[in-house]
Amino acid sequence: MQYKAPLRDMKFVMHELLKFEDHYKTIPSYAHTDKETIDSFIEAGASFSEAELSPLNRSGDEEGCRFENGNVYTPKGFKEAYKQYCELGFPSLCADEEFGGQGMPLSLGSAVNEMVGTANWSFSMYPGLSEGAIRTLEHHGTDEQKQKYLLKLVSGEWTGTMCLTEAHAGSDLGIIRSKAEPNEDGSYAITGQKIFISAGEHDMADNIVHIVLARLPGAPAGTKGISLFIVPKFNVNEDGSIGERNTVTCGSIEHKMGIKASATAVLNFDKAKGYLIGPENKGLNCMFTFMNTARIGTAIQGLTAAELAFQGGLSYAKERLAMRALSGAKAPEQAADPIIVHPAVRNMVLTCKAFAEGGRALVYYLSQFSDVVTKGEGETQAYADQMLSFLTPIAKAFLTETGYEAANHGVQVYGGHGYIREWGMEQNVRDTRIACLYEGTTEIQSLDLLGRKVLGSQGKMLANFSKVIYQFCEENKDNDAMGEFIRPLARLNKEWGDLTARIGMQATENPDAVGAAAVDYMYYSGYITLAYLWARMALVAQQALQGDTTETKFYQAKIKTAQFYFAKLLPRTLTYVKRIDTGLEPYMSMEVDEFQF
């Protein structure tokens, strides 16, 4: 399938809904980023993604990465595409100018990442992991470390990874065993094995900078005893040149369901030379800089899956002829009607559209808070940090789950052809499935949302966002054209607080009630969050239609998609409320030894 960047909708979200240019003027570091600059970058990203990356998506999936004698070889065309990606300046887009970056906002980078990822998610993971390494070094590295590693990471000459997971630990980082022994020269000898390391070994860059969690001698048990280290694949000489090979090797790469052109490596550290980042035993705190970047990146994968399913499903549904509409022939000159006329098909296509365009609005909205957290100041920065903390687990979990749902709809629209590799829809399902797992599974993100962000803040983080929705509803309560959106949104916004209070009461009796409610609560929160954004998009479209526009169909389609979302998708919240109110008992009544097969 050939990807086409949805530039009109992207510009609608950036310029009309979220007003990126006005947003950037409130942040001195980004005040120079005007509409023309924004458009030039996304148009360059669209051209590259469509022409260079999309054609490699299927071939990369079929060829996959090759592992030979500790080396990993990426599929044909990937090295050349990565070289062009670097020449176009995309790795440096959002990095600090001091280290060769272009100093552009993270929100602009998210738009470029969306196009790169939709065209070829496997490819996007190589530079995507580097972004997290860059952010971590920018925030926590010493001046010497920044000089030594950032210039090459920012240029794309080197790439980065995050090395957290170990075979026995999974997501429970408190029980990792990798150790770091001090060397006489101030460095550390890192020993241990890390698994599931995306872009952990490949042939596209001259060096790979691993960001590794390990324990120092005598460190406290659990997460309070983890430190963070830089461990390069090749040691770096004092003049910045590449030195001898470090003792970190790739033991194998995983044989995966999807993203086969992305190397997922097992890395063995055998007293590899490493360098401490940040304070001792505070590695997890420093790593969250990396992890939050990765979680927003994974939320983008959910958006890309829905967009790809929408584009593929819509194209096929307009062309495929099958049966007649029950209300009478819609294309009497043809042997049958195109399947887009059938309500069941429209349901699937519209669901993909609603999740793709709603997901785009959420990712770009979220990324604006990233801009403020990165370069803002004072109370504004603190507020943005709270909003980012609250919305990130919603975006990561909800968008990946709805993206996976949309990917399955994409297959279904094609019928039997969707199961065939040539159409690209089954690859979308396989590539997307991992998004619900890595960077914290849906279940872990849901616990983070409900347990840490909502209940852990005594409801303050929820109240911040709930107030935003409340103010929007108040501003538009007398707008008759918005009534179909404002009334249900206001009701659900109030119910959100009431539901949260009920869960809190359940948890006082048994803390496991939080775990029982968390996933349903995440979905409930996600549907309301997208409802708020869809209501805002409907308002913008209504206002555009009242003016002098030549794009009547575009704005009418936006309003009608919002109506579909509110009528057919938002009522799913009713089920989640019912499930939450049934409490913990249905999960826990069965004794462990009663589980049998």
Side-chain angles (χ1 to χ4, degrees):
M1 174 190 164
Q2 175 60 44
Y3 165 69
K4 179 70 175 175
L7 289 177
R8 180 64 189 93
D9 197 69
M10 294 172 69
K11 291 179 180 180
F12 169 81
V13 176
M14 289 189 287
H15 300 318
E16 299 176 67
L17 177 69
L18 299 177
K19 301 186 182 304
F20 270 27
E21 186 175 24
D22 293 344
H23 161 68
Y24 295 148
K25 287 178 181 177
T26 67
I27 307 171
S29 297
Y30 299 144
H32 62 286
T33 312
D34 57 17
K35 183 176 182 295
E36 290 70 28
T37 301
I38 296 167
D39 288 350
S40 68
F41 276 111
I42 66 168
E43 285 163 10
S47 177
F48 173 71
S49 299
E50 292 171 2
E52 304 300 328
L53 296 183
S54 184
L56 295 175
N57 195 37
R58 182 183 164 199
S59 62
D61 176 66
E62 293 186 343
E63 182 182 345
C65 290
R66 190 173 83 255
F67 177 73
E68 293 180 2
N69 301 319
N71 298 312
V72 174
Y73 302 92
T74 52
K76 183 179 179 181
F78 270 54
K79 285 180 68 173
E80 293 77 10
Y82 182 72
K83 181 179 179 182
Q84 187 174 350
Y85 179 87
C86 295
E87 290 172 350
L88 288 167
F90 290 128
S92 65
L93 184 61
C94 301
D96 285 346
E97 294 174 274
E98 180 183 357
F99 300 102
Q102 299 176 64
M104 291 292 139
L106 294 176
S107 52
L108 179 55
S110 291
V112 172
N113 290 344
E114 178 203 333
M115 293 182 287
V116 171
T118 315
N120 193 321
W121 186 260
S122 286
F123 176 91
S124 75
M125 293 190 69
Y126 294 95
L129 270 295
S130 296
E131 287 183 27
I134 290 169
R135 298 285 94 74
T136 302
L137 282 164
E138 284 178 342
H139 283 79
H140 306 292
T142 64
D143 290 341
E144 180 184 357
Q145 289 169 347
K146 291 176 182 178
Q147 291 293 335
K148 200 169 191 177
Y149 299 103
L150 270 182
L151 288 170
K152 296 294 180 67
L153 283 168
V154 167
S155 70
E157 293 174 71
W158 299 352
T159 61
T161 73
M162 53 189 288
C163 297
L164 287 70
T165 309
E166 299 179 9
H168 66 282
S171 297
D172 187 356
L173 299 178
I175 58 173
I176 66 168
R177 297 171 184 159
S178 295
K179 60 183 182 180
E181 298 282 348
N183 293 323
E184 291 184 1
D185 63 359
S187 65
Y188 295 81
I190 312 298
T191 301
Q193 184 184 79
K194 300 289 184 177
I195 66 168
F196 300 160
I197 308 305
S198 299
E201 176 62 30
H202 58 83
D203 60 350
M204 299 201 305
D206 296 333
N207 202 2
I208 302 175
V209 180
H210 303 295
I211 308 296
V212 185
L213 290 178
R215 292 187 180 280
L216 291 167
T223 56
K224 295 181 179 179
I226 300 174
S227 298
L228 191 63
F229 300 87
I230 301 169
V231 184
K233 173 181 175 179
F234 289 95
N235 289 310
V236 182
N237 297 321
E238 291 300 319
D239 62 359
S241 62
I242 290 178
E244 63 182 7
R245 177 73 184 256
N246 206 350
T247 51
V248 50
T249 58
C250 180
S252 64
I253 56 174
E254 304 295 348
H255 305 283
K256 306 190 297 287
M257 175 181 177
I259 55 168
K260 294 184 177 182
S262 171
T264 305
V266 174
L267 294 182
N268 297 312
F269 297 82
D270 184 10
K271 297 184 178 180
K273 182 165 284 193
Y275 305 89
L276 182 69
I277 308 177
E280 293 184 1
N281 302 324
K282 298 293 183 182
L284 208 55
N285 304 68
C286 298
M287 181 60 88
F288 267 108
T289 304
F290 204 143
M291 292 168 71
N292 285 334
T293 300
R295 285 169 179 170
I296 295 171
T298 309
I300 291 174
Q301 186 178 5
L303 154 60
T304 68
E307 177 65 32
L308 206 61
F310 172 59
Q311 290 193 16
L314 178 62
S315 298
Y316 188 80
K318 284 183 173 182
E319 297 174 358
R320 174 69 170 176
L321 303 180
M323 301 182 291
R324 292 294 187 189
L326 295 178
S327 56
K330 299 298 185 285
E333 74 284 0
Q334 301 190 79
D337 288 333
I339 63 173
I340 191 68
V341 308
H342 302 306
V345 175
R346 287 205 173 201
N347 173 56
M348 292 186 285
V349 173
L350 277 167
T351 298
C352 295
K353 185 178 193 291
F355 285 147
E357 295 176 11
R360 179 172 298 115
L362 176 53
V363 166
Y364 292 11
Y365 179 64
L366 180 68
S367 66
Q368 286 187 317
F369 293 114
S370 292
D371 294 337
V372 180
V373 169
T374 302
K375 294 294 184 179
E377 298 176 350
E379 292 183 6
T380 302
Q381 187 183 47
Y383 173 80
D385 188 50
Q386 289 188 5
M387 290 290 279
L388 186 66
S389 295
F390 174 74
L391 289 170
T392 295
I394 294 176
K396 193 282 176 187
F398 185 75
L399 293 189
T400 56
E401 290 288 351
T402 55
Y404 183 60
E405 177 186 337
N408 279 296
H409 286 316
V411 170
Q412 195 76 7
V413 169
Y414 279 73
H417 290 287
Y419 203 63
I420 305 302
R421 296 174 71 178
E422 284 79 359
W423 296 96
M425 293 293 98
E426 62 85 34
Q427 182 186 340
N428 192 27
V429 173
R430 289 187 290 104
D431 286 350
T432 302
R433 186 62 185 89
I434 185 62
C436 305
L437 302 174
Y438 56 17
E439 310 314 331
T441 63
T442 296
E443 291 72 21
I444 287 174
Q445 295 297 325
S446 300
L447 275 173
D448 179 51
L449 170 66
L450 179 56
R452 294 183 65 239
K453 304 301 171 55
V454 176
L455 300 179
S457 69
Q458 287 77 49
K460 181 180 180 180
M461 289 190 181
L462 171 61
N464 285 343
F465 187 54
S466 187
K467 184 178 180 180
V468 171
I469 298 175
Y470 174 79
Q471 290 174 337
F472 174 77
C473 291
E474 284 293 298
E475 290 166 3
N476 293 280
K477 65 181 180 182
D478 297 325
N479 183 344
D480 291 340
M482 285 292 293
E484 63 183 314
F485 307 118
I486 296 301
R487 285 189 295 272
L489 181 59
R491 177 184 60 79
L492 285 168
N493 191 40
K494 180 181 181 304
E495 184 182 61
W496 202 355
D498 296 340
L499 181 64
T500 304
R502 294 203 298 273
I503 296 170
M505 290 298 294
Q506 292 176 9
T508 59
E509 297 179 8
N510 188 334
D512 279 339
V514 177
V519 174
D520 293 317
Y521 186 87
M522 178 280 297
Y523 276 111
Y524 180 88
S525 303
Y527 279 108
I528 296 177
T529 301
L530 246 63
Y532 161 67
L533 292 164
W534 266 114
R536 283 185 59 181
M537 288 190 279
L539 178 62
V540 171
Q542 288 176 359
Q543 293 169 340
L545 288 170
Q546 291 168 3
D548 184 18
T549 180
T550 60
E551 297 181 290
T552 300
K553 287 188 176 180
F554 174 82
Y555 292 114
Q556 286 179 339
K558 190 64 67 175
I559 294 169
K560 290 174 181 177
T561 308
Q563 291 170 333
F564 168 81
Y565 181 86
F566 271 75
K568 296 295 187 182
L569 297 178
L570 190 58
R572 295 180 181 183
T573 53
L574 296 169
T575 299
Y576 296 118
V577 171
K578 181 66 174 177
R579 285 173 54 87
I580 289 170
D581 284 342
T582 59
L584 178 65
E585 182 63 18
Y587 293 128
M588 307 305 289
S589 62
M590 189 179 294
E591 298 294 331
V592 172
D593 60 6
E594 292 180 307
F595 283 91
Q596 297 181 17
F597 57 87

